[in-house]
Every structure is written in structure tokens, then in C-alpha cells.
Amino acid sequence: MNRWRDIPQRSDLLLQYLIDIQQRDSCISTESIQKLSTELAIPAAQIKSVIEFYSFLHTTPRGHFNILFSDNITDQMAGSRALMRQLCQQLNVRQGDPRADGRVTVDTTSCTGMCDQGPALLINNFPITRLDSKRIELIAQLIEQDTPLEQWPAEFFEINDNVHRADILLTHNTEDGDALRALLEEGAETLLQRIGDAELRGRGGAGFKTATKWRLCKQADAAQRIVVCNADEGEPGTFKDRVLLQSYAAQVIEGMTLCAGIIGASKGFIYLRGEYRYLLDSLEKELQRRRDAKLLGNNILDQQGFNFNIEIHLGAGAYICGEESALLESLAGHRGIPQKRPPFPVTRGYLGLPTVVNNVETLMTACQIASHGSDWFTDKGTRQSAGTKLLSISGDCQQPGIYEYPMGTSVSDILIDCGADGPQAVQIAGAAGQTLCHREFKRKIAIEDASTGGSFMVFNRHRDMLDMVQNFAHFFAHESCGFCTPCRVGSTLISNLVDKLYTSHATQNDLRDIERIALVMRHASHCGLGTTASNHILDTFNNFPDAYQRRLRSTEYTPAFDLDLAVCEARAITGRDDDDAHIVCPPQEGFKP
Amino acid sequence: MSHKIRVATTSLAGCFGCHMSLLDIDERLLELITLVEFERSPINDIKQLEPVDVGIIEGGVANTDNVEVLREFRRQSKILVAIGACAINGGIPAMRNHFELKECLEESYLDGIGVVNPMIPNDPEIPLLLNKVHPIHEVVKVDYVLPGCPPSGDTIWTFLTELLEGRPIHFPYSEIHYD
Ligand SMILES: Cc1cc2nc3c(=O)[nH]c(=O)nc-3n(C[C@H](O)[C@H](O)[C@H](O)COP(=O)(O)O)c2cc1C
Ligand code: SF4
Ligand code: SF4
């Protein structure tokens, strides 16, 4: 069970130990915390703070079956909420509360990256996709019969790649070791130059030039360097990294090894989001296969001193851990709190060592450029955005899945290809990205225009855009790491105000507040989560004002909560029901001159 | 002489610290009362609220009486000001929000140390507590907030004088930093 049993106790593995304990015991008990505290010489309070930070870790048992419904807007559009209610009813549980017999808990979680085959859920960290009423019924039966997961129907756990459009990246696959042989034959400088000539930019969202990042890290003065593959893929609506890790892992790992060879790193990590734990075994096998083939480990391809080892670390349900400085904190076993920059990870990253953090797709692309040459890549795309980009398309379209397009492809062409029927909006680059309306469909996917890490969610004209806004507002309030005030407080205020609007209690006043808070968050937050968390609000304010206006109360002001209901507990405790034990709510509040 | 600006103040679920701070403008009080007329306020013990230009609220909303007083202030005030952390966020009294109301009452009236004649009061004269303590802006519209616990006398002075002169209100940094 314990993946780390043979390794001497390392404090940087704290999070990994906690994940193992959680998986084994369905919670992390006080005794486990005490034991870890003694073994690792970490104060118990610090361990508890780590447990509290990660959504997948708990100090009280979650039950034998821990079920988390993916709660992305695309899951909701496919009916996830009704299915969850059905399951709760059949199992006789309340959402979030473990059943009294300790059998099962049913709850929600942020997007699990199965948007093209949703609605989806995680059961003890393994995904079940394509949920429908029949499947839910079967799941309820299996749980009541206490059938071990291994004996559940295998088709429940099938995950499809759903690649609908492949271009050079997904078709011109390299053979094992091609990129590494190129490195050994032509030398690090030539290869770095090649990646630079290919104008490869990071595929994780920020679009930083990959060769520049590698060179800065190579030049940093240090005895050890680190390569990290960012496989956190937490942006709602993104799932292309999952497909690469499932079906193209060899080239991703070779990309990491290539980077290590170029910059002189001997240690690497794959930071795999907890939601993708099901990929762990196949990735470990792939690492072993490559070690056996001398493509990884010591003296790679018999080159004396070319040593590179990779460890896989799991995340535990925290979107912020995709942000690179938070990711590095998480790798070190801490809470994932974004760090001040500079210093950037390329000079001071994992445990203070120069570190390259790259997205999964970036690493795979680098591997291919090494063997196919830079022209192979620059032949596609635009002048500022070379090559192709993987898009994860979901929502209202006939063929959700993975589409690889040359950079510069227009949104409207993509909408036609995926079979979008009457689209009114596309959310690109995930919850943190932009909401494009009909007028903007001629824009192009490229760094200089509509930039995206790969998420592409389609909304047809029958959708209420406020559903999306509410979903994202809740998402950010939940995922804010809490470190800085504008985002910690702002995201919750916005989420509450959007709820007020959603239930038609908000007034013009509240809209002004939402906008003001959104702008403060954008300008004053510490990291990218906070600065982008209100994009969807400000975009939809502009593009879809009707979604807001039609829900407004005409009054200037209405209270934020039901006043009379707020006295219900005191009434029950004192047994009073006289007039003074109630608060009458007049229809119109506010100053009347 | 033009008619004076009428000001009313009250303390809801607060500690009167903000009112103490108001008094902390010291001798400037003399200047202030040439400009303003205090209506209902704990400072002069007037209990009846007439229409005023400025209503100043200390403390959050913890019980039914707070709701009633606050709404009355909103109805009678042209400008309503939330003063201090309690009015703005719930502040110290809102620390009970981490517990069920039942737990709070049981701790105070049944299980607490030194309780004699344990019972939870249910006299209709006593306002009932709300399930949670709320900031005042969740119950009525608020026009200005003056943060601090309490805001300093100088901050209050700047606020009132600038407001009276009809200027946009700007504070020197020293009056709004709390470290
Ligand atoms: C809130 C937040 C979440 C992020 N999540 C991811 C992620 O899941 N995967 C990823 O590759 N990059 C993510 N990033 C971007 C990373 O910080 C970093 O820029 C990226 O991993 C660098 O790799 P690249 O240059 O290859 O794109 C995120 C950034 C922010 C601010
Ligand atoms: S912006 Fe949000 S996520 Fe980023 S540091 Fe601040 S609180 Fe944390
Ligand atoms: S803000 Fe501070 S000083 Fe003012 S009432 Fe509350 S606790 Fe007292």
C-alpha cells in the first residue's frame, strides 16, 4: 500500500505519506499525526495545517466508499446534480455527511478533468465516467452490497482518449530515445538552440518561451538542478494532459529527460493531480520500462554521468497547486501557497534548487522538436505562436474531446468542427479565462489573440450564463488558498453576492459591489488565481448583461439573508412565538426622502 | 446661521469603544458641536430618533432589537455610516458564529462556571438573538464605512469634517493603517 515504504523517512514526503494514510484509513487519525510528527520531527500543528489545506485529506473518516461528483459546469450541464441527488436518495445519505454505518460519503469536488465523458465522479480516487441514472442505480446496489471496487464492472472505469482531430503533435510520434540520441550526438547547446528556433512557448497557459526558461536554469549557479512536469491540470474544462499521460507518456517523460540532459538536472518530478491517481500505475510502469531500456536512471544510453531519476508525487485536490511556486511548495510537503517572485523557480525552486517547471504538453512537444527539427514546428501556426495546440473541448457540442489545431485557427472554425449547435458563448482557458460571445467567434487561438492553456467550453443559446458564473464563483471561493486578503475575502464576497443574484434577491447596488470587488481582486491579488478569478464576471458583465439584469429586484436594497429565519433557533430554544419573536420584512427597504 | 447638520449615533452589538473614540477627538468636540446637532445618541442619552442627516452605527446585528434600531436609523438617516470592525464585519461578537446559538446559550446560562439558577431566559421583554451575528450592511444599505477597532479619534474627525464640507473623503495614511 505505502508507495514510500522502502525509502528512509523524508520530511519532504509528508504530503505523500498523508495521501497514503488517507487512502488506507479513509482519514488521518490523531495517532497517525502523532506518529508522523515523531518520525519526521515536524510539529503536529504543521501536519494538521497541511491536512486542512488539501481537499482530499480528512481528519474524520469518509466511509468505506468515498464518492466525489465532479462539479464543473460541464458536468452540471450534463445533469450531474440530479444524479447526485438520486444517489443520495438511494443510499439515504446527506451530501457531505458520512452515513452512520460508515459505509459511504457522497459529496462534490472541483472539475476532475473528464468533461468530454461526464458527468463523472471519483470513488476512492478512481474515476467513473458517463454517469446516467442506470449507472447510479447500479453503483448504489454495489455499495449496499459492499462489493469491493476491484469487482465492479470494468467498463465503469474505462476512460476514453476521444481524440477527434490530430495534427503533427499527436501523429508524428518519436521512437523511444530519438530525442536523447539527438542530444548525445549533437550536444546540449545545439538542442537548446533548436527549441529556441522552434519558438516553443509554454503550453500551461502563461506562454513563456521554453528555451529561455531552460537556459536561465542551466545558467543558475548550483550543484543540482530539478525538472518538474506540471501534471496538475486543475483548470476546469482541461483534460488534454490526461490524454497525453495516458497514451503518450513515453514522449512526455523523454521530454523531461531531454530537459535534464540539456540543463544538467539529475532529479525530476511528475506532480500528478490526485484526480488522476488512476494513471499512477501505468506511469510507474512506464518509468520502470524506461529505466530497463537505459532511457532513464544512471548512465542513460550508456553515457557516463548522464543520470536522471523521476519521482511521481500526487496532489490532493488543490487547484492552486498548478501554479508553479505553489506546486514546488507542495512537492516539498508543505501547503501549496504561492511564493513571492522573484526569485523565480529557475533560480530558486524545489528546496531552493534551480528548477524548470513545464506543462505536460510543453515537454512532449520539446521531445518531438528535438528529433523533428525546429522547422517541423514553425511550419505550423502564426508568427508569434508557432506550432499546434491541443484543445480540450466540452460542453454543448456533438463531439467533445481532444482537438489539435495549428495556432491561429479561428474559434468559429473550431465550433463547426466539434459540432456546436447554436453556440452563444465559449469559455476559453478555463474558469480563469475569457468568456467569448458571438461577436468574438472570429478571434483566433494564439498567444497574441485568444490565448488558452487548452480549455474550450461551449455554451449553447439555451443556457443561462449565470449558471456558469455561479459555478465559477463557487469554484474560486473554494480554491482560493487564503494567503492574501483580496482573493480570500473577495472570492467569498463575490460568491455570496452571485448567490443572492441567482435567487433574485440582488439589486443594482449588489451589481456595483460585485464589479468593484472583481476589480480589486484583479489588481491587488498576490498570484494568478486571484488576478484571474473575476475574469468571468467582468466578461459576462460586458457580454451578457441580460443574464444579470433580468434577475434584479427593482428595489435599491434587500438584506443579504432572511431576517425572520435568522431568529428560528432562538425561537426554538426559548419556545417563544410572540410578535416580538419575529422580524417582519417590509417589501421596500432603504431611505425614502 | 445655516441650520446645523443633525447627527445620531447608536451602539448595536458593540462595546462602546467606537463611541469612546468619538469622544477622543477631545477639545475638537467643541468645534464639532458648532457644526452639528446631536440627536439620539448614547452621548446625550436621547432615546427618540428624529430624521437626521447622518446616522452612525457602532456594532453588528446580533438580536431582533438591533434589527429594529438599525432599520429605524436607515429610515431616518440620509447618510448611514458603519463605524468600527463590529459594524463592518461583525467583529468580536461574531466570534460566536463559530458555534451553534444553542451551545452559546447553554454555556452562558446552563453549564458555565458560577451559574446560579440555570435557565435560558425566555422573557418576551428580552430581544431574541439571531442565529448568527451579521455586519450591518447585510441588513440595510450602508453609505460609508469607517474601519478600525476602533477608528482613531483623528480618523473620525477627518471623516466628519470632510463629510460636512461636502468633499470626497480622503484620509492621511496614518489614519487608516493598523500596523
Ligand atoms: C492558479 C494557477 C493554476 C495553474 N495551473 C496549471 C496547471 O494545472 N498546469 C500547468 O501546466 N500550468 C498551470 N499553471 C501555470 C504554471 O504556473 C506554470 O506557468 C506552467 O506550469 C509553466 O509551464 P509551461 O511554461 O510549460 O506552460 C497555473 C497557474 C496558475 C496561476
Ligand atoms: S491570489 Fe488567492 S490563491 Fe493566490 S495567493 Fe492570494 S489567496 Fe492565495
Ligand atoms: S469595533 Fe472595536 S471598539 Fe468598536 S464596538 Fe467593535 S470592538 Fe468595540
Side-chain angles (χ1 to χ4, degrees):
Chain A
M1 170 84 249
N2 188 345
R3 292 173 57 213
W4 306 97
R5 194 170 26 214
D6 306 333
I7 301 174
Q9 302 283 308
R10 282 164 41 189
S11 61
D12 63 308
L13 289 180
L14 172 63
L15 175 60
Q16 304 307 306
Y17 298 137
L18 291 173
I19 291 170
D20 279 347
I21 296 170
Q22 172 74 43
Q23 183 89 357
R24 187 189 65 210
D25 301 345
S26 121
C27 78
I28 299 154
S29 64
T30 315
E31 294 79 62
S32 302
I33 295 173
Q34 278 311 337
K35 193 157 164 284
L36 273 179
S37 169
T38 317
E39 282 171 4
L40 303 174
I42 298 177
Q46 192 179 326
I47 298 179
K48 282 184 204 154
S49 79
V50 172
I51 296 172
E52 269 183 22
F53 185 84
Y54 294 94
S55 295
F56 288 178
L57 303 180
H58 304 274
T59 49
T60 49
R62 299 289 287 176
H64 194 55
F65 295 99
N66 186 24
I67 295 183
L68 296 171
F69 277 82
S70 178
D71 204 26
N72 188 27
I73 181 65
T74 54
D75 294 286
Q76 288 183 9
M77 284 168 13
S80 64
R81 284 299 176 95
L83 293 171
M84 182 170 75
R85 278 194 299 275
Q86 182 195 338
L87 187 62
C88 283
Q89 227 161 30
Q90 278 181 291
L91 293 170
N92 199 15
V93 283
R94 281 227 323 249
Q95 185 196 334
D97 296 342
R99 200 165 81 174
D101 63 356
R103 177 68 59 83
V104 60
T105 305
V106 178
D107 210 340
T108 57
T109 188
S110 300
C111 179
T112 60
M114 299 292 166
C115 322
D116 57 334
Q117 43 209 300
L121 59 73
L122 293 172
I123 180 158
N124 297 350
N125 286 320
F126 286 88
I128 300 182
T129 60
R130 293 179 302 272
L131 296 172
D132 56 22
S133 187
K134 230 174 89 203
R135 211 161 246 206
I136 293 288
E137 213 161 287
L138 278 173
I139 290 173
Q141 282 167 17
L142 289 162
I143 289 172
E144 292 297 7
Q145 295 156 0
D146 208 4
T147 312
L149 271 192
E150 304 82 64
Q151 292 165 27
W152 286 33
E155 73 261 21
F156 278 21
F157 301 97
E158 245 167 51
I159 308 294
N160 298 332
D161 279 356
N162 289 338
V163 175
H164 296 304
R165 187 184 198 282
D167 207 303
I168 50 173
L169 184 71
L170 295 181
T171 50
H172 296 189
N173 295 311
T174 56
E175 293 296 318
D176 269 343
D178 278 357
L180 299 182
R181 276 185 290 273
L183 170 68
L184 295 184
E185 279 159 26
E186 302 175 66
E189 190 47 45
T190 313
L191 266 284
L192 190 53
Q193 191 71 40
R194 181 169 302 160
I195 289 167
D197 290 343
E199 306 265 358
L200 172 61
R201 287 173 180 276
R203 269 27 192 166
F208 192 78
K209 284 196 174 152
T210 305
T212 310
K213 187 184 277 188
W214 291 13
R215 189 175 295 283
L216 287 169
C217 189
K218 186 182 170 74
Q219 286 165 349
D221 191 22
Q224 249 241 69
R225 291 183 187 74
I226 309 288
V227 177
V228 175
C229 170
N230 186 345
D232 196 52
E233 193 158 63
E235 194 59 59
T238 321
F239 46 88
K240 46 107 188 162
D241 292 344
R242 154 173 63 78
V243 172
L244 296 184
L245 293 167
Q246 182 159 307
S247 302
Y248 302 83
Q251 293 169 79
V252 176
I253 296 167
E254 184 144 332
M256 291 179 73
T257 317
L258 171 74
C259 175
I262 290 178
I263 67 169
S266 55
K267 194 167 168 97
F269 295 94
I270 298 175
Y271 187 87
L272 184 67
R273 69 187 307 222
E275 291 82 346
Y276 291 172
R277 189 197 176 99
Y278 80 101
L279 290 171
L280 187 60
D281 280 351
S282 64
L283 285 172
E284 291 281 15
K285 276 202 199 96
E286 181 59 25
L287 290 179
Q288 189 54 47
R289 190 186 70 80
R290 295 183 70 83
R291 278 191 285 268
D292 294 343
K294 289 207 144 287
L295 297 168
L296 199 62
N298 291 340
N299 304 324
I300 292 170
L301 291 176
D302 292 322
Q303 177 83 4
Q304 214 52 34
F306 185 3
N307 304 334
F308 184 58
N309 285 293
I310 296 178
E311 246 174 37
I312 304 178
H313 277 215
L314 283 169
Y319 165 64
I320 190 58
C321 288
E323 194 282 336
E324 57 185 11
S325 66
L327 184 153
L328 294 172
E329 282 295 293
S330 183
L331 269 185
H334 305 152
R335 300 185 303 152
I337 306 283
Q339 303 296 297
K340 228 172 40 210
R341 305 179 322 157
F344 290 94
V346 283
T347 52
R348 282 182 61 84
Y350 174 72
L351 304 182
L353 299 168
T355 304
V356 163
V357 180
N358 271 135
N359 174 256
V360 174
E361 185 183 348
T362 313
L363 290 164
M364 169 159 165
T365 311
C367 164
Q368 295 200 348
I369 292 170
S371 27
H372 301 321
S374 55
D375 291 348
W376 168 83
F377 196 64
T378 49
D379 279 351
K380 298 270 179 178
T382 69
R383 222 148 51 127
Q384 280 135 301
S385 313
T388 61
K389 180 81 195 77
L390 294 181
L391 298 182
S392 317
I393 300 188
S394 62
D396 294 318
C397 62
Q398 275 152 27
Q399 284 188 303
I402 299 296
Y403 291 73
E404 183 187 358
Y405 280 105
M407 286 284 201
T409 308
S410 73
V411 171
S412 53
D413 285 348
I414 297 169
L415 285 170
I416 292 169
D417 288 354
C418 69
D421 181 24
Q424 67 165 325
V426 177
Q427 181 71 19
I428 62 162
Q434 288 174 282
T435 316
L436 303 183
C437 68
H438 205 269
R439 295 191 296 284
E440 299 166 292
F441 288 171
K442 46 184 179 306
R443 292 183 59 183
K444 296 178 185 339
I445 299 296
I447 190 116
E448 66 274 19
D449 191 348
S451 177
T452 173
S455 171
F456 192 101
M457 293 183 269
V458 183
F459 298 83
N460 74 24
R461 61 173 179 275
H462 304 296
R463 299 288 175 190
D464 182 347
M465 291 309 289
L466 209 61
D467 286 339
M468 180 197 85
V469 169
Q470 188 186 37
N471 181 281
F472 292 172
H474 287 181
F475 170 76
F476 286 115
H478 179 254
E479 296 294 347
S480 165
C481 84
F483 173 76
C484 72
T485 313
C487 168
R488 180 187 64 248
V489 177
S491 58
T492 297
L493 288 179
I494 287 198
S495 164
N496 291 347
L497 284 168
V498 168
D499 285 349
K500 190 176 175 189
L501 180 67
Y502 201 81
T503 50
S504 298
H505 283 95
T507 62
Q508 200 62 43
N509 233 332
D510 294 305
L511 287 193
R512 278 195 291 273
D513 279 350
I514 291 179
E515 187 166 21
R516 225 172 24 145
I517 298 164
L519 286 170
V520 171
M521 284 180 73
R522 176 179 280 183
H523 294 123
S525 293
H526 173 64
C527 85
L529 187 149
T531 56
T532 57
S534 55
N535 286 350
H536 68 103
I537 300 264
L538 296 167
D539 280 355
T540 47
F541 257 43
N542 274 331
N543 290 341
F544 299 95
D546 284 354
Y548 292 85
Q549 295 295 332
R550 69 161 170 266
R551 301 230 184 200
L552 289 185
R553 287 264 296 232
S554 52
T555 53
E556 240 321 72
Y557 183 90
T558 51
F561 58 98
D562 184 329
L563 293 171
D564 191 49
L565 205 61
V567 202
C568 66
E569 289 178 19
R571 275 197 297 266
I573 297 166
T574 58
R576 281 178 52 187
D577 200 23
D578 52 288
D579 281 357
D580 287 343
H582 287 276
I583 301 178
V584 188
C585 295
Q588 191 99 4
E589 294 278 350
F591 178 72
K592 280 173 264 133
Chain B
M1 197 191 118
S2 74
H3 105 118
K4 285 190 191 174
I5 302 284
R6 287 156 308 157
V7 177
T9 76
T10 191
S11 177
L12 306 176
C15 76
F16 280 93
C18 290
H19 275 86
M20 295 306 289
S21 211
L22 178 61
L23 296 178
D24 229 9
I25 61 178
D26 299 329
E27 73 285 357
R28 283 170 293 183
L29 252 184
L30 298 175
E31 198 179 321
L32 187 63
I33 55 174
T34 64
L35 302 169
V36 308
E37 182 77 43
F38 275 97
E39 297 290 336
R40 170 179 168 158
S41 169
I43 295 172
N44 53 20
D45 215 21
I46 297 175
K47 299 282 198 307
Q48 202 56 38
L49 183 57
E50 304 292 332
V52 292
D53 299 299
V54 183
I56 298 178
I57 312 281
E58 164 192 315
V61 183
N63 62 32
T64 52
D65 182 60
N66 295 156
V67 174
E68 197 181 317
V69 172
L70 178 59
R71 287 163 139 191
E72 182 64 9
F73 261 76
R74 177 68 277 185
R75 271 192 292 273
Q76 303 286 16
S77 313
K78 285 192 186 143
I79 292 171
L80 196 71
V81 186
I83 183 173
C86 298
I88 297 172
N89 295 320
I92 303 279
M95 288 171 79
R96 81 153 155 97
N97 290 359
H98 295 291
F99 304 91
E100 299 286 317
L101 177 60
K102 196 158 182 291
E103 293 175 88
C104 299
L105 289 169
E106 285 172 355
E107 180 64 23
S108 305
Y109 293 106
L110 303 182
D111 311 328
I113 298 167
V115 171
V116 285
N117 187 15
M119 70 165 286
I120 293 173
N122 59 357
D123 190 310
E125 292 274 296
I126 302 172
L128 288 183
L129 293 172
L130 306 190
N131 302 351
K132 302 284 175 209
V133 177
H134 293 266
I136 68 168
H137 69 80
E138 289 189 2
V139 179
V140 296
K141 177 170 182 289
V142 171
D143 301 302
Y144 289 94
V145 299
L146 259 187
C149 180
S152 70
D154 288 340
T155 312
I156 297 174
W157 174 252
T158 308
F159 174 75
L160 286 175
T161 47
E162 304 230 329
L163 183 70
L164 294 184
E165 286 172 29
R167 284 201 297 252
I169 295 152
H170 290 297
F171 295 103
Y173 178 65
S174 62
E175 290 179 6
I176 47 163
H177 83 120
Y178 308 99
D179 45 349

